[in-house]
Amino acid sequence: MEKPTKTFGLDEPIDLYRKLLFDIERLRVGGSSRAVQFSAFDCAVDAFHLIDWVLHAVDDEAHLRLTGKGRGKHGVIPGFITTNAIRLPDLELCRQIANSVKHVIMTFGPKMEHMSTGSTVKFEPEFIADQPPPPGFRMFAWAYIELHGTKYAVIELFEHIARQWEQFLRQEGLFAEEPPDWGPSGEA
């Protein structure tokens, strides 16, 4: 019998990693501004809080190696980010976004003053407002991250961090292949 959880039965880092992939797909197909905003919000939180799930899953020796700190010590999360900056280079951006969306403003750690996020409607191909849209025109919701005045599709950040997390989880022995998808009757 499974131990009861408060996480809807998700209890391993691989589970939150799979939720990140699920939320990236939601962001990719989001059909409205709210859909991309909500999905981008969830991606940032998933990507950042994988730290907590990893540190909960590893033994004391791995915890110390990954954070430079013992369990329960102050500064574990910054220690993890610093210790693993080469393996997870996009994690700091996710921390900035996740901390901001959780608390509305940055509440801990260094602040990237040159970074912001947003969403808008984008037109492809771009056209002049006073003229009719060109053939093949489409309009879609778009979430972005702005760094030093340049806007980038935020989905690219989340796809990068997902690849980084996959490699990290594999290297740490925390990656498990996806089990078969069980239907409502319990059959594969």
Side-chain angles (χ1 to χ4, degrees):
M1 180 174 200
E2 286 188 35
K3 180 181 173 190
T5 70
K6 293 179 181 156
T7 57
F8 301 100
L10 306 176
D11 57 2
E12 299 294 328
I14 193 67
D15 297 327
L16 188 57
Y17 168 75
R18 288 190 180 111
K19 182 182 180 308
L20 172 59
L21 297 180
F22 178 86
D23 291 332
I24 289 169
E25 186 58 27
R26 285 178 42 226
L27 180 57
R28 181 177 290 110
V29 300
S32 69
S33 292
R34 284 287 185 225
V36 298
Q37 289 169 329
F38 292 169
S39 301
F41 183 113
D42 289 347
C43 287
V45 172
D46 298 344
F48 177 64
H49 285 289
L50 255 162
I51 296 170
D52 299 314
W53 288 59
V54 164
L55 295 179
H56 178 76
V58 299
D59 63 21
D60 291 346
E61 182 181 319
H63 186 282
L64 182 60
R65 178 177 50 80
L66 293 171
T67 66
K69 311 258 181 203
R71 286 197 191 277
K73 300 293 182 193
H74 181 72
V76 169
I77 300 299
F80 182 95
I81 292 169
T82 301
T83 302
N84 297 285
I86 292 176
R87 295 167 75 187
L88 298 161
D90 292 326
L91 191 55
E92 177 58 22
L93 284 170
C94 292
R95 182 192 73 81
Q96 296 278 329
I97 298 168
N99 190 258
S100 295
V101 298
K102 183 177 175 187
H103 302 286
V104 183
I105 58 170
M106 284 293 298
T107 58
F108 77 92
K111 296 174 180 75
M112 294 176 133
E113 300 298 332
H114 60 275
M115 187 272 289
S116 65
T117 63
S119 67
T120 188
V121 174
K122 202 166 181 181
F123 304 99
E124 280 188 356
E126 292 185 21
F127 65 97
I128 300 170
D130 295 343
Q131 298 177 6
F137 161 82
R138 71 183 192 104
M139 177 176 79
F140 58 95
W142 186 63
Y144 61 86
I145 183 168
E146 187 169 341
L147 297 167
H148 301 286
T150 302
K151 292 179 183 175
Y152 304 92
V154 78
I155 193 167
E156 293 174 11
L157 167 65
F158 298 133
E159 288 171 338
H160 289 163
I161 193 69
R163 286 190 296 274
Q164 293 162 22
W165 270 118
E166 179 182 351
Q167 183 174 6
F168 178 94
L169 293 172
R170 286 182 185 280
Q171 290 169 344
E172 294 298 324
L174 298 169
F175 191 90
E177 296 303 325
E178 181 79 63
D181 193 16
W182 294 88
S185 66
E187 297 176 11

